[in-house]
Amino acid sequence: SFAAGTGIFSGTGAIANDMETVADSSGPFSAFSSGLSINAGGTMAFQALLDNGQRGIFTSTGAAPNAAATIADSTGPVDVFGPCPAINAAGTVVFDALLDGGGVQGLFTGNGTVPNDVTPVADTRGPFANFGSTYAINAAGTVAFFATTDSGNDGIFTGPDPVAHKVLETGDILFGDTVRFLDIFTEGMNDAGQIGFYFDGIDTRTETSG
C-alpha cells in the first residue's frame, strides 16, 4: 500500500526502492489479493478486483502500469477466484474458482490470448470434494495441486484421476511414517516434474509423531 492506494510492484533489488508499477488502484483495478506468481520472463499473475465490481485473474509484464491481460473474470464461465494463481514460463496460468451459479469448484488454466478461454484441470463434479488454493504449473503445462477426495483423503495430484494422478495421499507410507497431513505450495514443481511438498506423519513402528 502507498499514499494513493494499493498496487503490485517488481524490482531486482539492485537499487533500493527502484521498482516498476505492474498494477495499482488508479484504475482499472481497485484492490488486489496478497498472492501472486512471477515467471522467468518477468510476467506476473495476480487476482484483482476491478472498478466495475468484477473480479478476475490477470497477467502483466510490467512494461506499462495497469496494462494487464485478462485470463478470466466474472463475465466468463467461472467466478469467485482463489487468491494465489501460478504461472509457468510460457505464460499459462492455473487458478481455482467456482463455476457460475456456485456449488462446483475447479482448477482451470488459461493464457489470456482469448479472455475467459479456460481449460478445466479437475472439478468437484468428479472424484474430488474440494481443492486448496495451493498448486503449481511447469513449462510442460502439468499442474500439481492439493485436493480432498470424495472419500475424505487429502492428497497431492497431477490430474483429474485421484488414482492414476496421485503423488501422495493421507494414509500412504512415506519414510516409514503414515502420512496424516501434507501440502504443496505455489511454484512447488519444477520443469522436470519434481514436486516439493510438506508432510507430517506418524511413525508406524513406534506410533509417535514424526
Side-chain angles (χ1 to χ4, degrees):
S1 62
F2 57 103
T6 60
I8 295 173
F9 308 89
S10 66
T12 65
I15 301 175
N17 297 313
D18 181 20
M19 300 177 293
E20 292 183 340
T21 300
V22 176
D24 63 31
S25 52
S26 65
F29 303 105
S30 59
F32 305 91
S33 71
S34 58
L36 51 83
S37 179
I38 185 170
N39 67 10
T43 300
M44 284 191 181
F46 57 93
Q47 188 241 82
L49 179 68
L50 293 166
D51 291 339
N52 61 12
Q54 296 171 8
R55 189 172 291 276
I57 304 293
F58 307 91
T59 60
S60 175
T61 63
N66 293 315
T70 300
I71 301 297
D73 62 26
S74 48
T75 66
V78 293
D79 202 351
V80 191
F81 301 89
C84 301
I87 186 170
N88 69 4
T92 299
V93 177
V94 58
F95 60 94
D96 67 288
L98 297 181
L99 289 175
D100 287 347
V104 176
Q105 183 193 17
L107 292 175
F108 305 88
T109 60
N111 60 23
T113 301
V114 178
N116 293 307
D117 181 16
V118 296
T119 301
V121 177
D123 64 44
T124 53
R125 291 174 296 189
F128 294 108
N130 59 70
F131 302 92
S133 292
T134 50
Y135 28 74
I137 182 169
N138 67 10
T142 300
V143 176
F145 57 90
F146 173 91
T148 301
T149 65
D150 290 341
S151 62
N153 287 341
D154 294 333
I156 297 171
F157 307 90
T158 58
D161 186 330
V163 177
H165 300 129
K166 183 180 79 170
V167 177
L168 188 67
E169 190 175 19
T170 52
D172 289 347
I173 304 298
L174 183 64
F175 306 124
D177 289 355
T178 300
V179 176
R180 63 178 179 179
F181 177 81
L182 72 169
D183 205 355
I184 185 175
F185 302 97
T186 302
E187 300 180 357
M189 177 174 56
N190 66 15
D191 290 341
Q194 295 171 312
I195 297 170
F197 61 91
Y198 166 85
F199 95 99
D200 181 46
I202 298 174
D203 191 320
T204 57
R205 295 156 294 184
T206 64
E207 295 299 321
T208 59
S209 179

